């Protein structure tokens, strides 16, 4: 019998639902059934999850058709970079990849550090407790991606509301998601027109040149790329900052290690990427098999929807020693929190750097920073497919 999906919520914020560990041990390629009756295969072992993400026999384009199960992002997921297979995916990704190289990201680090300093100065002026979401964890990645794209930061409140809608629950909020996507599309059409009239030194101006001068992408691809970069460039990073702090406060010994030794920031961010639970631990990037494929002794027929469970893979004891323990000194950490293969997160290097600088500022600039709301009083946005806090009350004196 297929397992009902979505899976049960975990008992805490800090570990995947126990069912994933049971499946990984005993039924690593299990059939699940969506509320609308559609079926998919849920893959929970690290080696199999990597195969699903890397092997070209698992197609993202084939998963983006209306007859396949959908998990969030709605029609954006059917038109964007994440819905393409090579060579179309390669063509579009190449146009934007130069903005996210390690060298380019390191050039941005001083500017990000300055934004962190400015935001912390503003936070200190707030009466305690203050909201970390509105005063730090959201405006930091918003400012960074706006600078990169050439989007006016003054438009933050407008596009963040639409972004929230697009990142909602496709099963429950389809009309709201479509409305948010329509508004974002109109916004980017206006922004593109403004950039054509007044070019700048930013990524959107470069993409417009690729469209107008070299015919390397269509007008719709230009709009969709902009939307995807804007949403991907701030939504997840803001959530990670919040959940990283919650996770560290739940593990005071690891928090103390980071505060005592700044050289652990890099390994600490990687471990938090592996360990922290941002959602239901199952990737929304469903694939469809283009031929019969065997995973852990199970033959998955051609044309089947397959869901990689990243949270289960990142806790696989076959790969990670003591996987349910947070260890900011963990050296051997091949986590797949940013995905793998052709769809490895385009902005992974940027996200890593932002998270390192965010933690650097919060842990060393505010050494007594603490979350002052109990877990039972935390308010999460109710319709999001990722765990997204409405607010996070903090104090530092």
């Amino acid at each position: 019998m297929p397992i009902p999906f979505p899976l049960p919520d975990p008992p805490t914020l800090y570990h995947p639902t126990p069912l994933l560990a049971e499946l990984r041990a005993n039924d690593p390629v299990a059939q699940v059934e969506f509320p609308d009756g559609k079926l998919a295969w849920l893959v929970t072992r690290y080696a199999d999850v990597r195969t699903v993400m890397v092997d070209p026999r698992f197609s993202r384009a084939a998963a983006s058709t209306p007859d396949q199960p959908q998990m969030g992002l709605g029609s954006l997921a059917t038109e964007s970079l994440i819905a393409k297979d090579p060579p179309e995916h390669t063509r579009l990704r190449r146009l934007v990849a130069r903005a996210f190289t390690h060298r380019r990201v390191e050039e941005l680090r001083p500017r990000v550090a300055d934004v962190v300093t400015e935001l912390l100065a503003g936070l200190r002026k707030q009466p305690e407790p203050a909201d970390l979401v509105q005063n730090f964890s959201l405006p930091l990645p918003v400012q960074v991606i706006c600078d990169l794209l050439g989007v006016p930061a003054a438009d933050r409140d407008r596009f963040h509301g639409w972004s929230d809608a697009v990142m909602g629950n496709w099963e429950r909020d389809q009309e709201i998601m479509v409305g948010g996507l329509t508004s974002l599309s109109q916004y980017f059409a206006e922004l593109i027109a403004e950039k054509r009239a007044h070019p700048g030194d930013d990524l959107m101006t470069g993409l417009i040149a690729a469209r107008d001068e070299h015919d390397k992408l269509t007008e719709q691809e230009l709009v969709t790329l902009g939307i995807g970069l804007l949403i991907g460039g701030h939504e997840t990073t803001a959530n990670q900052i919040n959940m990283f702090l919650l996770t560290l406060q739940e593990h005071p010994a690891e928090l103390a290690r980071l505060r005592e030794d700044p050289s652990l920031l890099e390994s600490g961010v990687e471990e938090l990427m592996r360990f922290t639970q941002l959602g239901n631990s199952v990737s929304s990037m469903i694939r469809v098999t283009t031929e019969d494929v065997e995973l852990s002794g199970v033959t998955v027929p051609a044309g089947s929807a397959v869901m990689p469970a990243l949270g289960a893979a990142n806790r696989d004891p076959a790969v990670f020693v003591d996987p349910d323990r947070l260890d900011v000194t963990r050296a051997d950490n091949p986590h797949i929190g940013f995905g793998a293969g052709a769809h490895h997160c385009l902005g992974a290097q940027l996200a890593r750097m932002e998270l390192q600088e965010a933690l650097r500022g919060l842990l060393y600039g505010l050494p007594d920073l603490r979350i002052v709301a109990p877990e039972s009083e935390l308010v999460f946005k109710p319709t999001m497919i990722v765990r997204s806090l409405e607010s996070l009350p903090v104090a530092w004196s």
Side-chain angles (χ1 to χ4, degrees):
M1 288 286 294
I3 299 165
F5 190 89
L7 302 180
D9 289 335
T12 78
L13 297 175
Y14 309 107
H15 298 281
T17 178
L19 179 56
L20 284 172
E22 295 174 22
L23 292 173
R24 188 178 58 225
N26 304 311
D27 193 8
V29 185
Q31 257 200 331
V32 296
E33 183 175 7
F34 284 74
D36 62 2
K38 292 175 181 174
L39 300 175
W41 294 88
L42 181 63
V43 178
T44 47
R45 287 181 179 166
Y46 182 94
D48 293 333
V49 167
R50 272 198 62 89
T51 297
V52 171
M53 292 192 291
V54 171
D55 193 316
R57 294 175 297 174
F58 294 87
S59 168
R60 275 293 300 144
S64 302
T65 58
D67 59 315
Q68 295 295 340
Q70 298 295 329
M71 288 179 61
L73 294 183
S75 57
L76 177 63
T78 69
E79 300 171 355
S80 69
L81 185 63
I82 64 174
K84 308 290 186 184
D85 292 331
E88 281 295 285
H89 176 271
T90 308
R91 173 181 64 85
L92 292 172
R93 187 177 176 111
R94 188 175 291 139
L95 290 172
V96 295
R98 70 188 65 179
F100 297 98
T101 63
H102 179 75
R103 180 185 63 81
R104 176 66 178 131
V105 165
E106 286 305 309
E107 290 174 354
L108 293 173
R109 189 183 289 271
R111 169 59 181 152
V112 173
D114 287 345
V115 175
V116 167
T117 299
E118 292 164 8
L119 290 173
L120 289 179
L123 180 65
R124 289 189 193 95
K125 295 177 182 178
Q126 301 293 319
E128 298 179 62
D131 179 17
L132 193 76
V133 174
Q134 293 302 318
N135 289 288
F136 184 84
S137 52
L138 180 60
L140 172 61
V142 165
Q143 184 65 59
V144 172
I145 197 62
C146 284
D147 286 352
L148 195 64
L149 286 174
V151 173
D155 291 346
R156 183 191 86 178
D157 291 341
R158 295 174 64 199
F159 69 67
H160 185 65
W162 300 328
S163 174
D164 274 0
V166 174
M167 290 288 287
N169 186 321
W170 183 248
E171 292 291 339
R172 290 161 36 189
D173 304 291
Q174 186 170 344
E175 290 185 9
I176 295 173
M177 294 175 73
V178 169
L181 184 60
T182 299
S183 296
L184 274 171
S185 297
Q186 292 171 346
Y187 174 81
F188 265 93
E190 295 169 4
L191 179 69
I192 289 164
E194 175 65 20
K195 291 289 179 185
R196 280 196 170 109
H198 305 285
D201 182 19
D202 53 67
L203 182 54
M204 280 308 298
T205 296
L207 291 174
I208 291 166
R211 161 77 182 118
D212 295 350
E213 299 170 18
H214 308 290
D215 198 27
K216 291 185 176 180
L217 70 167
T218 67
E219 192 74 9
Q220 182 56 51
E221 287 172 338
L222 180 59
V223 170
T224 304
L225 270 177
I227 295 172
L229 289 167
L230 183 67
I231 293 175
H234 84 277
E235 194 75 50
T236 302
T237 304
N239 296 335
Q240 285 168 326
I241 293 169
N242 298 327
M243 290 305 300
F244 280 13
L245 281 181
L246 278 167
T247 301
L248 286 170
Q249 186 154 300
E250 183 70 9
H251 297 81
E254 298 306 295
L255 175 57
R257 279 171 131 180
L258 280 180
R259 281 186 165 142
E260 291 165 5
D261 187 355
S263 71
L264 293 177
L265 270 179
E266 186 173 332
S267 64
V269 165
E270 296 307 310
E271 176 68 345
L272 286 162
M273 279 296 306
R274 181 192 73 84
F275 187 89
T276 301
Q277 302 299 300
L278 290 180
N280 63 13
S281 302
V282 177
S283 171
S284 61
M285 292 177 64
I286 296 172
R287 274 80 166 170
V288 167
T289 50
T290 58
E291 59 184 82
D292 291 0
V293 183
E294 184 175 306
L295 297 170
S296 286
V298 176
T299 299
V300 180
S304 298
V306 181
M307 295 190 297
L310 302 189
N314 280 335
R315 301 289 185 102
D316 190 338
V319 178
F320 303 98
V321 177
D322 200 1
D324 291 321
R325 179 172 65 88
L326 180 70
D327 178 6
V328 297
T329 68
R330 190 182 296 271
D332 185 14
N333 191 356
H335 73 82
I336 45 179
F338 288 115
H343 288 281
H344 180 267
C345 176
L346 180 66
Q349 293 296 338
L350 180 63
R352 281 187 169 101
M353 182 269 286
E354 287 184 65
L355 292 166
Q356 290 166 11
E357 293 305 315
L359 286 184
R360 192 188 312 278
L362 291 169
L363 300 187
Y364 312 129
L366 291 173
D368 295 318
L369 181 74
R370 62 199 181 279
I371 299 163
V372 294
E375 183 179 321
S376 60
E377 294 181 10
L378 296 176
V379 179
F380 293 88
K381 296 174 184 176
T383 63
M384 302 286 277
I385 60 169
V386 295
R387 195 171 273 137
S388 183
L389 280 159
E390 292 276 9
S391 62
L392 188 60
V394 295
W396 54 89
S397 62

